[in-house]
């Protein structure tokens, strides 16, 4: 099979044969808006050709920096929030064993990659500091502005710890900065302290940034072949830019989810059957939610991991409100498997499974859920992914970025801005007493 295949066969009860043809003119227009740059916010489409048009010198510096971190550190602390960490975490979880970050140092070939700056929890930071202990560590701080609250607090804390452990000069060599090429607080820190630094391209928003240094450095530190990751994305780029709807999985996905949305299926549940897909779902939720949730429109993205969540959300999905659609990512060839032991006993009621593999049982669970949910009134779209290798992941990343961008244009939405994200920040700054927000603080106090 190809690296990824979209399967709409479970939609027969919900989408008529003629509907794909009827939406095709609008779909092609949305695709053309994206590819030609004639759509809104066209300067934020640099991710489109990233797999083939990227700074090769910087790419080589990323690989060398990863080797340096692997050589002198047992832990890399990645500091960032939103797109500045979700892509890297998604990829590392997808490409490694589920317990990669839990293995002791003598059982791991590469550093632990741990994350900070994605919350304002003091308890979380304290736990992270305890996990690092007295081991050698480095820091990769990621922020375009350098003033985002959560990562700024975390960087102050870990910067202080580095200096206390290594002294100022040696600490500076353990700090890797990914930020704007010229402007922002972190760029000034780089100039003042000589940190190794990498650039966040101006034309790439955070949720589309996993194939930039934002994601590539942490991914490479974890031991992943990032050349293969980019090669997979390049293959998807070539296919999705040129192929017609009938042969284009990304366009089909964009079309069908919009057909369903117009019929009242306003909530999309992203589902997987492998636990290390959980952060793939988190990455997808930001990509879909920030790209499409505007002007009181857009599909609401949520997620579930099966079979685990069948024992908690399964009842609602089966018999709750009928405004749900499901997108299921199915790994065709999981990296490992385990046989159900043969005991000759049946006290646990599973003797009929003896000698079968867990992946076989998982596949049958997947098939049964598709049948049950489809019959229960929930449309299902299936995305078959070949395996959990860097090449396939690069291909899948580009698939979702391309499909969600087309989907935004198809729904008359700017898929590249996120104006609503700033609203809570203004209130938080006011309540924390940040200079310049005194009037807003007074307004908030009066409204209490």
């Amino acid at each position: 099979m190809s690296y990824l295949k979209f399967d709409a066969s479970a939609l027969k009860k919900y989408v008529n044969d003629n509907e794909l043809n009827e939406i095709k003119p609008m779909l092609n227009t949305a695709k053309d808006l994206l590819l030609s740059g004639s759509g809104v916010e066209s300067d934020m489409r640099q991710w489109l050709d990233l797999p083939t048009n990227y700074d090769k010198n910087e790419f080589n510096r990323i690989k060398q920096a990863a080797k340096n971190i692997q050589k002198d550190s047992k832990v890399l602390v990645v500091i960032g929030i939103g797109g500045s960490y979700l892509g890297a975490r998604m990829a590392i979880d997808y490409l490694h064993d589920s317990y990669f970050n839990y293995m002791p140092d003598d059982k791991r070939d590469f550093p632990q990659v741990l994350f900070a700056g994605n919350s304002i929890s003091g308890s979380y930071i304290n736990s992270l500091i305890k996990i690092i202990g007295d081991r050698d560590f480095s820091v990769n701080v990621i922020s375009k502005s350098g003033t985002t609250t959560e990562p700024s607090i975390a960087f102050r804390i870990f910067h202080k710890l580095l200096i206390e452990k290594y002294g100022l000069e040696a600490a500076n060599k353990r700090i890797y900065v990914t930020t704007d090429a010229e402007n922002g607080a972190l760029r000034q820190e780089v100039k003042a302290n000589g940190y190794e630094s990498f650039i966040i391209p101006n034309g790439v928003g955070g949720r589309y940034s996993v194939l930039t240094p934002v994601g590539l450095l942490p991914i490479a530190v974890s031991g992943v072949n990032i050349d293969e990751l980019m090669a997979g994305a390049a293959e998807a780029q070539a296919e999705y830019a040129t192929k017609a709807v009938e042969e284009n999985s990304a366009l089909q996905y964009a079309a069908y989810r919009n057909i369903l949305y117009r019929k009242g299926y306003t909530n999309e549940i992203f589902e997987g059957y492998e636990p290390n897909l959980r952060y793939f779902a988190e990455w997808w939720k930001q990509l879909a939610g920030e790209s499409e949730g505007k002007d009181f429109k857009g599909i609401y993205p949520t997620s579930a991991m099966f079979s685990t969540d069948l024992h908690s959300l399964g009842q609602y999905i089966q018999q709750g409100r009928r405004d749900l659609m499901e997108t299921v990512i199915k790994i065709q060839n999981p990296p490992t498997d385990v046989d159900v032991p043969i005991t000759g006993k049946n006290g646990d009621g599973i003797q009929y499974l003896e000698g079968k593999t867990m992946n076989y049982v998982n596949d049958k669970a997947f098939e049964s859920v598709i049948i049950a949910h489809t019959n229960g009134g929930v449309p299902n779209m299936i995305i078959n992914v070949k395996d959990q290798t860097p090449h396939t992941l690069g291909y899948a990343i580009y698939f979702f970025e391309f499909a969600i961008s087309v989907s935004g244009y198809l729904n008359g939405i700017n898929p590249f801005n996120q104006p609503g994200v700033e609203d809570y920040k203004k209130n938080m700054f006011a309540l924390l007493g940040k200079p310049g927000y005194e009037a807003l603080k007074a307004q908030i106090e009066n409204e209490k």
Side-chain angles (χ1 to χ4, degrees):
M1 62 168 287
S2 63
Y3 294 101
L4 183 149
K5 183 178 180 182
F6 178 76
D7 180 0
S9 61
L11 294 179
K12 291 177 181 177
K13 291 175 58 176
Y14 305 95
V15 179
N16 296 321
D17 292 340
N18 60 295
E19 290 184 84
L20 185 60
N21 281 330
E22 289 168 358
I23 202 173
K24 192 185 298 183
M26 292 180 287
L27 183 69
N28 286 330
T29 297
K31 175 191 173 186
D32 291 342
L33 289 172
L34 176 65
L35 293 177
S36 68
S38 54
V40 293
E41 208 89 12
S42 60
D43 58 332
M44 296 305 293
R45 300 174 309 113
Q46 191 176 344
W47 60 269
L48 265 173
D49 63 354
L50 264 182
T52 52
N53 184 19
Y54 58 91
D55 187 330
K56 305 304 189 294
N57 289 330
E58 183 177 53
F59 191 80
N60 288 330
R61 284 200 304 112
I62 289 170
K63 291 193 285 187
Q64 185 57 55
K67 290 178 182 177
N68 294 341
I69 295 167
Q70 290 164 354
K71 188 182 301 182
D72 68 15
S73 298
K74 295 297 184 184
V75 180
L76 174 67
V77 179
V78 180
I79 297 174
I81 195 167
S84 294
Y85 99 102
L86 279 172
R89 184 155 189 181
M90 171 271 290
I92 291 168
D93 279 10
Y94 183 97
L95 296 170
H96 290 286
D97 293 340
S98 294
Y99 289 93
F100 166 79
N101 263 333
Y102 296 89
M103 298 292 285
D105 291 340
D106 62 351
K107 300 293 185 183
R108 189 188 309 107
D109 294 326
F110 302 100
Q112 278 184 303
V113 181
L114 304 176
F115 295 87
N118 48 67
S119 73
I120 319 177
S121 168
S123 297
Y124 177 91
I125 291 292
N126 269 313
S127 296
L128 179 52
I129 292 170
K130 289 178 182 178
I131 285 290
I132 296 170
D134 61 359
R135 294 181 296 162
D136 288 318
F137 73 100
S138 295
V139 166
N140 175 208
V141 56
I142 306 166
S143 174
K144 195 168 183 65
S145 68
T147 58
T148 305
T149 304
E150 294 90 340
S152 293
I153 293 173
F155 184 46
R156 280 202 180 196
I157 293 167
F158 285 98
H159 187 204
K160 179 173 179 287
L161 291 174
L162 282 170
I163 293 172
E164 290 173 351
K165 184 175 180 67
Y166 299 106
L168 180 59
E169 184 177 350
N172 287 349
K173 294 178 181 178
R174 291 177 172 271
I175 295 172
Y176 299 82
V177 174
T178 309
T179 190
D180 187 85
E182 298 177 358
N183 303 312
L186 274 178
R187 179 52 59 188
Q188 302 313 309
E189 288 283 319
V190 168
K191 292 176 181 178
N193 297 288
Y195 303 144
E196 177 88 18
S197 69
F198 304 96
I199 294 171
I200 302 174
N202 286 330
V204 180
R207 58 190 176 273
Y208 293 89
S209 68
V210 62
L211 298 178
T212 74
V214 169
L216 292 176
L217 178 57
I219 294 168
V221 170
S222 79
V224 171
N225 184 330
I226 58 174
D227 290 284
E228 282 296 311
L229 188 72
M230 297 299 279
E235 190 167 336
Q237 176 190 348
E239 291 188 20
Y240 296 140
T242 58
K243 288 189 174 181
V245 175
E246 292 76 12
E247 299 177 308
N248 194 316
S249 290
L251 292 182
Q252 292 169 21
Y253 176 49
Y256 279 114
R257 64 199 297 272
N258 274 276
I259 291 169
L260 292 168
Y261 173 60
R262 286 156 173 73
K263 293 184 175 188
Y265 298 100
T266 56
N267 298 278
E268 183 176 5
I269 311 176
F270 185 94
E271 298 161 356
Y273 282 76
E274 295 292 338
N276 54 1
L277 291 176
R278 187 171 298 279
Y279 269 89
F280 200 116
E282 295 302 313
W283 172 78
W284 172 86
K285 283 193 287 188
Q286 186 198 10
L287 179 67
E290 278 195 352
S291 296
E292 296 188 295
K294 292 151 200 175
D295 301 323
F296 305 102
K297 295 187 290 185
I299 301 166
Y300 180 76
T302 186
S303 64
M305 286 296 118
F306 293 161
S307 63
T308 304
D309 289 334
L310 290 172
H311 296 261
S312 56
L313 298 175
Q315 172 62 40
Y316 187 95
I317 296 170
Q318 190 69 44
Q319 295 183 329
R321 289 175 61 89
R322 301 296 79 184
D323 55 3
L324 307 175
M325 56 174 145
E326 295 172 276
T327 294
V328 187
I329 184 168
K330 179 70 172 63
I331 307 297
Q332 295 297 298
N333 301 293
T336 58
D337 204 354
V338 176
D339 292 339
V340 179
I342 298 173
T343 67
K345 299 177 181 179
N346 197 36
D348 53 11
I350 62 167
Q351 190 173 24
Y352 70 102
L353 297 178
E354 289 184 346
K356 294 182 171 63
T357 70
M358 290 189 68
N359 287 343
Y360 172 83
V361 178
N362 210 17
D363 285 345
K364 296 308 172 186
F366 157 78
E367 292 173 16
S368 67
V369 171
I370 295 291
I371 295 168
H373 288 184
T374 301
N375 289 341
V378 184
N380 271 252
M381 295 171 283
I382 304 162
I383 298 170
N384 291 296
V385 178
K386 182 180 179 182
D387 51 33
Q388 289 178 244
T389 61
H391 194 105
T392 296
L393 178 59
Y395 192 101
I397 287 169
Y398 199 90
F399 165 85
F400 282 107
E401 290 179 345
F402 192 91
I404 294 297
S405 300
V406 170
S407 182
Y409 279 139
L410 186 58
N411 201 23
I413 291 170
N414 178 352
F416 303 121
N417 68 349
Q418 54 278 344
V421 171
E422 300 301 316
D423 289 351
Y424 90 90
K425 294 181 182 179
K426 296 173 186 176
N427 294 334
M428 182 176 71
F429 293 154
L431 292 173
L432 288 171
K434 184 173 182 177
Y437 288 84
E438 292 81 5
L440 180 57
K441 182 176 182 180
Q443 177 184 334
I444 291 171
E445 294 295 339
N446 289 335
E447 291 175 353
K448 283 185 177 178

